[in-house]
Amino acid sequence: MQQKIVILNFGSQTTQLIGRRVRELDTFCEILPYNKFPKNDPSVIGVILSGSPYSVHDKDAFKCDLSEIVGKYPVLGICYGAQFISYSNGGSVEQTGTREYGRANLETIDLDNPLFKGFDKGSQVWMSHGDTITAIPSDCHVIASTADVKYAAYASTKNPLWAVQFHPEVFHSTQGKQLLKNFVVDICGSKQEWSPASFVDSTVEELKKQIGNDRVILGLSGGVDSSVCATLLNKAIGKNLTCIFVDHGMLRKNEFQKVMDAYKGLGLNVIGVDASEKFFKDLEGVTDPEQKRKIIGRDFVEVFNEEAKKITDAKWLAQGTIYPDRIESLSITGMTIKSHHNVGGLPKEMKLKLCEPLQWLFKDEVRRVGYELKVPDSLVKRHPFPGPGLAVRILGDITREKVRILQEADDIYIESMHNYQCEDGTSLYDHVWQAGAVLLSTIRSVGVMGDERTYEHPVALRAVTSMDAMTADWARLPYDFLAKVSNEIINKVKGVNRVCYDVSSKPPSTIEWE
């Protein structure tokens, strides 16, 4: 039985980072809404309570029954989680009126406590909270303090319970990974058996049992997710897998043929379908980003259903949905960051059953699984590309002419990245997590070309660095590269007279503009 850490999500922006850090410890974890703890699940070895945007005193604050957890499993409360534990068990949490935010140092640490094994005195942590704990439950004692926060960390003498008011999951808590390792491995007893090899072995067996001799249809996009998904399924069911590449007309320049060519050596049965007319017709006049995604998701499934009629006994639709897609599409607050075309756009009546073998993986884990499966570097290292394609990189309505403009600008940008050599001998493309051009088609910019005034569209270039797409920072691209790309786009792409570079990070922005 696979061991599991359950992370109860109270709405923090960094909840997914906690999960990512636990996975880095070769331990499987599952992020669940704060009130959905899985009762009687023998695979659970520990529980982490996340932070939250709320105060424990807010009327809408997320609260759950801790009696189902405390005393039955090792528990670690983080920030709001620590405050909620104290608040619920006779302690005191007060609204200070000011936020304790930023770097702090643990001036006193109980180095004999298992949570702080291997810590250095003065270890730097990251604070981000408005309330503070002023009294802890009677069965608890303080195990770490900063100059301003007495109860930076506390532990119970009665139960396997620990709580910290800082965020060990973020980069600025310099020994945060050590703290999580102490909890997950030493305290909870993780055997650290979660690995790409174990995932491949267990998933192949699960797929064989789940699918049996049924026929499966898989949508290929050329991206790492669908490529790894296809290879994994091919390993499990072989000839019973039929891959379909749908051209919705909003792919990158020459993408359709490039993708079809890329799979020739993988031994996959791939069918190409040009459905661009249907997608463009259904998207005509639509400007709302969510509506675009839902239309594309709906049409995508409809095309697959049409293809399924041509394939004898096809019963499954496989998709390369990964964990961040599901997390961002399902919100405990009712506020969705965005609906993913594999998640939020599926109609209620779908003729094919869904199979999503990568649904528990973060992006870098998908790549590790890809290497385990011997998927070529050209596919494994490829930047993420949104399922709706350029539709969510064109602000406003979608037309073939706008797609053409963006395809040309994007092609210059991405090819230039491949051709730009860095000091270590690799291309600039390899140093960036994701890059793409965005057409600001709702805006017209005044320009001058020759002796004539132009009134055309700006293009924004986007490039970010990231580990898992949960957070991302804008990439510091060389000025000479940006100058050359900007000049080439304006000179060669009719319809564009201005190029901008996006210097926003996630959060507060998202990687895609829509």
Side-chain angles (χ1 to χ4, degrees):
M1 181 183 300
Q2 180 173 256
Q3 296 177 317
K4 175 169 64 182
I5 296 289
V6 168
I7 301 169
L8 293 182
N9 183 15
F10 287 84
S12 171
Q13 287 184 332
T14 61
T15 300
Q16 293 79 19
L17 275 180
I18 302 172
R20 190 63 203 87
R21 300 297 176 250
V22 173
R23 295 284 184 87
E24 288 173 358
L25 296 169
D26 298 322
T27 303
F28 183 70
C29 67
E30 186 174 356
I31 298 173
L32 297 172
Y34 66 97
N35 57 353
K36 299 294 183 182
F37 182 78
K39 299 178 182 178
N40 303 317
D41 184 344
S43 68
V44 178
I45 60 172
V47 183
I48 297 177
L49 311 184
S50 82
S52 175
Y54 291 111
S55 160
V56 294
H57 299 290
D58 291 344
K59 65 177 182 178
D60 296 325
F62 299 138
K63 297 175 182 178
C64 64
D65 182 4
L66 293 178
S67 65
E68 298 180 352
I69 303 167
V70 175
K72 299 179 181 179
Y73 306 91
V75 176
L76 173 64
I78 295 176
C79 198
Y80 175 91
Q83 295 173 356
F84 181 60
I85 291 170
S86 179
Y87 174 83
S88 303
N89 291 278
S92 178
V93 178
E94 296 183 8
Q95 296 175 308
T96 61
T98 59
R99 287 176 60 84
E100 293 170 328
Y101 183 83
R103 295 175 178 85
N105 297 92
L106 299 179
E107 295 190 350
T108 60
I109 309 175
D110 181 358
L111 297 176
D112 292 327
N113 190 282
L115 192 67
F116 288 113
K117 185 182 75 173
F119 261 61
D120 301 323
K121 290 183 178 180
S123 183
Q124 178 181 287
V125 296
W126 187 263
M127 295 285 186
S128 180
H129 55 92
D131 295 353
T132 194
I133 298 171
T134 54
I136 55 179
S138 58
D139 66 321
C140 294
H141 61 287
V142 63
I143 55 175
S145 303
T146 69
D148 300 316
V149 181
K150 179 180 179 181
Y151 301 109
Y154 65 89
S156 171
T157 55
K158 176 182 173 184
N159 296 304
L161 170 68
W162 292 262
V164 297
Q165 282 202 90
F166 54 88
H167 287 271
E169 70 274 19
V170 303
F171 173 78
H172 297 296
S173 290
T174 54
Q175 292 185 287
K177 187 173 181 179
Q178 178 66 40
L179 185 148
L180 291 172
K181 180 177 184 293
N182 291 341
F183 178 73
V184 171
V185 179
D186 296 344
I187 293 172
C188 296
S190 169
K191 296 177 182 178
Q192 296 184 283
E193 296 176 334
W194 172 257
S195 68
S198 68
F199 173 83
V200 169
D201 291 342
S202 61
T203 303
V204 166
E205 290 305 311
E206 288 172 8
L207 288 171
K208 288 179 178 178
K209 293 177 183 177
Q210 179 187 22
I211 297 170
N213 292 320
D214 291 347
R215 296 290 296 275
V216 179
I217 303 173
L218 168 67
L220 286 177
S221 67
V224 60
D225 299 340
S226 67
S227 300
V228 172
C229 185
T231 309
L232 193 61
L233 277 163
N234 191 48
K235 186 178 179 67
I237 63 172
K239 63 181 181 180
N240 283 339
L241 172 66
T242 299
C243 300
I244 299 174
F245 177 45
V246 176
D247 182 5
H248 51 37
M250 288 152 284
L251 300 170
R252 282 175 158 150
K253 185 178 179 180
N254 300 324
E255 190 83 350
F256 184 73
Q257 192 57 49
K258 288 179 180 178
V259 169
M260 292 298 290
D261 292 343
Y263 289 109
K264 286 182 179 179
L266 284 177
L268 299 176
N269 176 28
V270 185
I271 299 171
V273 181
D274 182 358
S276 56
E277 284 296 333
K278 174 180 177 60
F279 284 89
F280 275 110
K281 181 180 179 181
D282 291 349
L283 286 168
E284 188 175 349
V286 177
T287 60
D288 180 70
E290 279 296 292
Q291 192 63 20
K292 288 181 191 177
R293 288 178 178 273
K294 291 182 184 299
I295 289 172
I296 292 171
R298 181 199 67 202
D299 285 3
F300 180 81
V301 173
E302 288 179 1
V303 171
F304 266 76
N305 280 337
E306 284 301 312
E307 289 302 316
K309 296 175 183 178
K310 306 172 187 177
I311 302 172
T312 306
D313 298 330
K315 295 182 180 179
W316 295 86
L317 171 65
Q319 295 186 151
T321 310
I322 64 174
Y323 207 22
D325 298 332
R326 299 170 62 230
I327 294 170
E328 290 195 342
S329 299
L330 302 172
S331 171
I332 61 172
T333 63
M335 296 177 63
T336 302
I337 297 174
K338 67 180 180 183
S339 66
H340 188 264
H341 75 291
N342 285 352
V343 180
L346 296 177
K348 293 180 180 179
E349 297 296 329
M350 191 175 66
K351 298 177 182 179
L352 299 175
K353 294 182 287 185
L354 269 179
C355 174
E356 299 174 309
L358 307 182
Q359 63 177 314
W360 295 108
L361 300 185
F362 289 92
K363 178 69 76 172
D364 64 316
E365 291 178 312
V366 174
R367 288 196 168 97
R368 290 170 62 195
V369 169
Y371 286 123
E372 183 70 26
L373 290 167
K374 305 293 190 294
V375 177
D377 282 1
S378 60
L379 293 174
V380 175
K381 290 184 177 180
R382 195 174 184 195
H383 287 182
F385 187 68
L390 300 180
V392 293
R393 292 182 179 175
I394 296 174
L395 274 61
D397 65 325
I398 308 299
T399 66
R400 286 189 179 273
E401 175 61 13
K402 290 179 181 179
V403 171
R404 181 202 65 78
I405 292 172
L406 185 54
Q407 283 177 332
E408 295 294 335
D410 182 80
D411 186 61
I412 291 171
Y413 182 35
I414 299 301
E415 285 303 308
S416 297
M417 276 195 162
H418 280 296
N419 295 331
Y420 189 97
Q421 295 297 304
C422 300
E423 292 182 0
D424 62 1
T426 62
S427 72
L428 185 59
Y429 184 89
D430 292 333
H431 288 259
V432 172
W433 166 270
Q434 185 172 348
V438 180
L439 180 63
L440 281 61
S441 67
T442 57
I443 300 172
R444 287 192 177 273
S445 169
V446 175
V448 176
M449 291 186 180
D451 294 325
E452 297 182 0
R453 181 180 294 268
T454 61
Y455 197 51
E456 298 177 331
H457 299 299
V459 161
L461 303 181
R462 181 71 157 144
V464 298
T465 57
S466 181
M467 283 293 292
D468 48 33
M470 289 288 103
T471 61
D473 195 12
W474 60 277
R476 273 62 170 175
L477 300 184
Y479 287 161
D480 62 328
F481 169 80
L482 288 172
K484 182 177 182 298
V485 169
S486 172
N487 187 60
E488 190 172 353
I489 289 174
I490 292 172
N491 286 337
K492 293 184 177 180
V493 183
K494 186 177 180 180
V496 176
N497 66 355
R498 189 179 299 270
V499 174
C500 310
Y501 186 57
D502 185 345
V503 294
S504 308
S505 297
K506 175 187 179 181
S509 301
T510 54
I511 295 176
E512 298 294 341
W513 277 47
E514 289 193 343

